[in-house]
Amino acid sequence: MKKMTMLALAAVLLIGTTACSKKAEQGPNSNASTTFMHLHGLGYSADGKRLFIPVHNGLQLYADGLWSEGPGVKHDYMGFTAVDDGFYSSGHPAPGSKFKNPLGLVKSTNDGKTITVLALEGEVDLHGMTAGYRSHVLYVVNPEPNTKMKQAGLFYSKDEGKTWTSSPATGLQGQMMAIAAHPSDAAIAAVGTTTGAFLSKDYGQRFTALVPEQPVSALAFTDSGNVLVATSGPNASLIEINIESKQSLVIQTPSKDTITYVVQNPANPKELAIATEPKDVFLSTDRGATWIQIADKGKTINRK
């Protein structure tokens, strides 16, 4: 396998890069069913009561069996990552917004009612981005030089985007599909590529194979520091891996479709949410023993 160069790492941004059309997705604030054309991530609120799904125009929320629109201006959030006090994101501002396009790095601490620009407004759309749930360290795949990052490639920030440090990413192979940061240890990050899952314990300086020789479509850290890895292809599976012992556990999934996002509820370790390539969304409250479907090809399903 050929080693991945920094240019290739930045150029092949396959994390939520489906092109967004400018046709608005209609979704009333009531609990009526709606349909979203794109799905750009998954994330829970800190209390675990609300599941956030960034779509083309704003956030969709699923809580207590019902769907609703998120508050605030309907920005096109990309690189969405929920943390213990809100979420970080990038993307594009809503039509008529006061923000420059692209958004750069933004943060919200009130479910998206308002956002604060932290860095790079009008400069870059960071599709490939993640953040430590409690550490708040940011890892991004920078697509092109800008005022904060002088080259394309993998970077991290410990101060919410004020300063950035380049990561050589030695040992990383394949085209990048997903990136995740350890919830509390800022130095640990995982990357999924077309050739496997890779782990770094030194801020992305060096990566070693965690799941070799299998394409990985999505990954996420659990609250305990294990990694949830979704592989794709004929032998697709969802596995939970202990990064110290390398022991793994297969989690049963309700669909054979490629998993595009996976997340654990921070308030309930047994609750998982996954999204698949056709924009189906499923929830499990017993770590995969049973699942309920809450979206079918982008159409929301109320369970009450």
Side-chain angles (χ1 to χ4, degrees), residues 211-234:
V211 178
E213 306 297 334
Q214 292 187 67
V216 170
S217 58
L219 50 72
F221 277 91
T222 68
D223 191 63
S224 64
N226 293 344
V227 182
L228 296 168
V229 178
T231 63
S232 59

Side-chain angles (χ1 to χ4, degrees), residues 29 52 58-59 61 69-74 77 110-114:
N29 286 318
F52 298 94
L59 297 174
L61 305 184
E69 276 193 352
V73 179
K74 310 306 180 187
Y77 291 118
N110 54 13
D111 293 354
K113 183 177 181 181
T114 60

Side-chain angles (χ1 to χ4, degrees), residues 7 38 65 115-116 121-122 154-155 165 179 189 191 199 202 208 230 238 243 259 263 290 297 304:
L7 181 60
H38 307 114
I115 61 172
T116 300
E121 184 183 10
L154 182 65
F155 285 78
T165 303
I179 185 170
V191 169
L199 182 73
D202 55 7
T208 57
L238 178 62
I243 64 173
I259 294 173
V263 69
T290 60
K297 296 178 176 58
K304 286 190 175 181

Side-chain angles (χ1 to χ4, degrees), residues 175-210:
Q175 296 176 346
M176 193 175 188
M177 303 295 286
I179 185 170
H182 190 282
S184 54
D185 190 330
I188 298 178
V191 169
T193 78
T194 51
T195 63
F198 297 82
L199 182 73
S200 173
K201 295 185 177 181
D202 55 7
Y203 294 96
Q205 303 301 302
R206 296 176 300 276
F207 282 88
T208 57
L210 193 62

Side-chain angles (χ1 to χ4, degrees), residues 145-165:
N146 54 62
T147 57
K148 296 287 187 179
M149 294 170 274
K150 301 304 182 184
Q151 64 192 41
L154 182 65
F155 285 78
Y156 68 92
S157 175
K158 297 180 181 179
D159 54 13
E160 294 194 313
K162 294 182 181 67
T163 60
W164 295 88
T165 303

Side-chain angles (χ1 to χ4, degrees), residues 32-171:
S33 179
T34 186
T35 300
F36 46 83
M37 294 181 293
H38 307 114
L39 189 155
H40 300 158
L42 293 174
Y44 279 95
S45 59
D47 61 9
K49 294 181 179 180
R50 299 178 304 286
L51 178 66
F52 298 94
I53 298 185
V55 294
H56 174 57
N57 57 330
L59 297 174
Q60 291 286 329
L61 305 184
Y62 182 81
D64 196 28
L66 297 173
W67 285 90
S68 63
E69 276 193 352
V73 179
K74 310 306 180 187
H75 301 300
D76 184 6
Y77 291 118
M78 306 294 290
F80 178 91
T81 305
V83 293
D84 59 359
D85 67 348
F87 67 80
Y88 294 98
S89 195
S90 190
H92 304 280
S97 167
K98 65 179 181 178
F99 298 104
K100 296 178 182 178
N101 187 21
L103 288 171
L105 173 64
V106 299
K107 185 178 183 180
S108 176
T109 57
N110 54 13
D111 293 354
K113 183 177 181 181
T114 60
I115 61 172
T116 300
V117 173
L118 300 177
L120 299 166
E121 184 183 10
E123 293 191 57
V124 65
D125 179 11
L126 298 166
H127 285 200
M129 180 168 69
T130 188
Y133 184 76
R134 287 184 291 275
S135 73
H136 295 193
V137 65
L138 292 158
Y139 286 87
V140 303
V141 183
N142 181 46
E144 58 189 2
N146 54 62
T147 57
K148 296 287 187 179
M149 294 170 274
K150 301 304 182 184
Q151 64 192 41
L154 182 65
F155 285 78
Y156 68 92
S157 175
K158 297 180 181 179
D159 54 13
E160 294 194 313
K162 294 182 181 67
T163 60
W164 295 88
T165 303
S166 177
S167 299
T170 302

